[in-house]
Amino acid sequence: ASRACGIEGAIGTHTMRKTFGYHFYQQTKDVAMLQQIFGHSAPSVTLRYIGINDEMIDQILERFSL
């Protein structure tokens, strides 16, 4: 898939899985569903796996208002 898109480098199924997870979460914010898809034991495992960290969460919460 990476070659078809003109992307060079070592991109395997694991990279594609994590990329899918990151974009799925960005579009849906449904960490519970993503946790089920990946078979993880906890939402925190899923968020760490896709690279969502506390700093990113803090930035989102700073912009949130009712």
Side-chain angles (χ1 to χ4, degrees):
S2 62
R3 277 185 245 129
C5 293
I7 300 171
E8 295 182 17
I11 296 180
T13 55
H14 187 74
T15 302
M16 292 170 40
R17 174 181 153 107
K18 289 177 81 168
T19 300
F20 161 80
Y22 179 82
H23 289 284
F24 181 92
Y25 179 75
Q26 290 300 317
Q27 288 182 25
T28 67
K29 302 297 189 241
D30 191 347
V31 69
M33 180 62 70
L34 194 55
Q35 175 189 348
Q36 286 291 325
I37 291 168
F38 284 159
H40 289 159
S41 59
S44 60
V45 173
T46 301
L47 291 173
R48 186 174 59 244
Y49 180 78
I50 63 171
I52 303 296
N53 59 35
D54 291 339
E55 183 179 319
M56 294 173 80
I57 293 169
D58 290 344
Q59 289 174 356
I60 290 169
L61 290 175
E62 285 176 11
R63 294 190 304 258
F64 177 79
S65 66
L66 293 174

